[in-house]
Amino acid sequence: MTRLDAGPVEETTESAVECDGPRSVMLEAREVPLGGVRAMDVRRALPQRDLPMVGAWCFLDRFGPQRALMRVEPHPHIGLQTVTWPFEGVVRHRDSLGSDVLISRGALNLMTSGAGISHSEYSVTDEPIPLDALQLWVALPESRRHGAPAFEQHASLPQLTLPAVTGERAEAVVVMGEFAGTTSPASAFTPLVGAEVRVPAGSRVRVPLHPEWEYAIVGVDGDLRVTTDADTTETVGDMQLLYLGIQRDGIDVHSASGATFFLLGGEPFEDEIVMWWNFVGRSHEEIVAAREEWEAHSARFGRVADHGDVRVPAPPLPAVRLRRRGRRL
Ligand code: MN
């Protein structure tokens, strides 16, 4: 995906808070027009003003469920991986490495930008079709973010079950990283997890967590209830993000009529990042340079075949310096 808006400019000067224990903070997704001639709306759960990242996860959009004609023209990325996890519909991905693939439910598209890549995303027909997917970004660590771009698709991902406290066992798909001892084959460069978990109707399960990682639960559908401490149970609706903090070895979830959620987590990220438009960097200067290179058609971002001169222009830079994004949770 691309961002038509460049995102809010963070002007906080307070120093970053380091999360030091469990939290239970409900954060709402916001509606964002993706723009273009045929506008699509997405709901964005990350970044949040008070929470720029969960582990290395720095961005989470859901487009859908909606009927739409997706035409996201070539646009650049730096310093991140895009993780596309469809629920419904077929999307064609093309990139400057020459990849040209279709993706649908059950498969993962993982694009590692390294220092620079460009790609386009189209729905497969010329008519609007039902579309629903998550797209997340993972910030790359210093050791990988200057490297070569890469693209991989995983049509089959590891599945596991979580034992039931009551009712039936939950089923999980490990999309990225490691969950409950099972590791996704998708390339990851920091310790993290992205997993889809389905809780059957009338069931309660314990979700195992690493105490040294931070986590969040994002509602996908159904009635999900999360017991965050002895006295508190939160209801997590569709695209609400419940931030759980760190130092938990597990958390209880249950559902009366069945629910699906996405678990995000990982080791707290090593650096504060500067995120603007489709770029993740460490400084204002890096972002300005990437923007200028995209606008100058630099070889840094290659070329997506069969799009002619059609591409997404970079938005204007804000008048103020881009700042690193500290957290307040
Ligand atoms: Mn994109």
Side-chain angles (χ1 to χ4, degrees), residues 12 15 18 29 46 54 62 97 141 143 200 237 247 262 270 286 299 321 326:
T12 175
S15 60
E18 195 159 315
L46 267 183
V54 177
R62 182 174 182 176
L97 298 169
S143 59
Q247 291 180 16
F262 203 84
E270 58 185 6
E286 279 182 16
R321 284 180 62 80

Side-chain angles (χ1 to χ4, degrees), residues 1-2 15 18 25 56 59 67 76 78 92 94 99 103 115 118 137 159 161 174 195 245 260 262 269 296:
M1 304 292 280
T2 183
S15 60
E18 195 159 315
V25 182
F59 182 90
R67 288 185 71 86
I78 68 167
R92 181 182 184 186
R94 284 173 282 180
S99 313
I103 186 175
S118 55
W137 297 353
Q159 302 189 26
T161 58
V174 187
T260 301
F262 203 84
F269 196 67

Side-chain angles (χ1 to χ4, degrees), residues 7-246:
V9 175
E10 294 296 313
E11 290 203 77
T12 175
T13 53
E14 57 201 271
S15 60
V17 174
E18 195 159 315
C19 182
D20 58 1
R23 300 282 190 276
S24 174
V25 182
M26 187 68 77
L27 298 165
E28 302 291 334
R30 58 196 181 281
E31 299 266 347
V32 179
L34 203 61
V37 177
R38 306 168 187 89
M40 281 178 64
D41 286 344
V42 301
R43 288 175 289 165
R44 185 159 299 153
L46 267 183
Q48 296 271 347
R49 181 162 191 80
D50 293 342
L51 184 70
M53 306 179 80
V54 177
W57 299 98
C58 60
F59 182 90
L60 169 54
D61 266 4
R62 182 174 182 176
F63 54 97
Q66 65 184 317
R67 288 185 71 86
L69 184 68
M70 177 185 272
R71 289 289 182 271
V72 181
E73 303 295 354
H75 61 276
H77 289 287
I78 68 167
L80 58 82
Q81 293 175 290
T82 63
V83 173
T84 305
W85 181 242
F87 299 123
E88 187 175 19
V90 183
V91 170
R92 181 182 184 186
H93 161 96
R94 284 173 282 180
D95 64 39
S96 51
L97 298 169
S99 313
D100 183 352
V101 297
L102 303 179
I103 186 175
S104 56
R105 176 69 181 153
L108 163 69
N109 270 7
L110 177 62
M111 187 178 78
T112 302
S113 75
I117 196 168
S118 55
H119 73 139
S120 69
E121 293 158 295
Y122 280 29
S123 46
V124 287
T125 62
D126 292 328
E127 298 298 321
I129 57 168
L131 287 176
D132 190 10
L134 298 182
Q135 192 174 79
L136 305 101
W137 297 353
V138 178
L140 289 169
E142 193 60 31
S143 59
R144 184 63 183 85
R145 72 188 189 96
H146 305 289
F151 176 81
E152 57 203 79
Q153 184 178 82
H154 297 275
S156 176
L157 290 164
Q159 302 189 26
L160 57 91
T161 58
L162 300 175
V165 178
T166 56
E168 295 172 44
R169 296 191 293 184
E171 296 181 348
V173 182
V174 187
V175 179
M176 286 284 290
E178 184 270 322
F179 178 54
T182 296
T183 302
S184 166
S187 299
F189 301 96
T190 54
L192 56 75
V193 64
E196 183 185 301
V197 183
R198 174 82 193 157
V199 184
S203 297
R204 174 183 295 272
V205 299
R206 185 150 182 89
V207 178
L209 305 176
H210 292 299
E212 65 275 22
W213 289 11
E214 62 175 340
Y215 288 92
I217 280 175
V218 180
V220 173
D221 66 46
D223 65 303
L224 181 69
R225 307 264 289 160
V226 181
T227 304
T228 54
D229 64 48
D231 308 318
T232 312
T233 295
E234 300 276 3
T235 299
V236 184
D238 177 14
M239 281 306 277
Q240 287 184 314
L241 184 147
L242 178 63
Y243 180 61
L244 298 171
I246 65 171

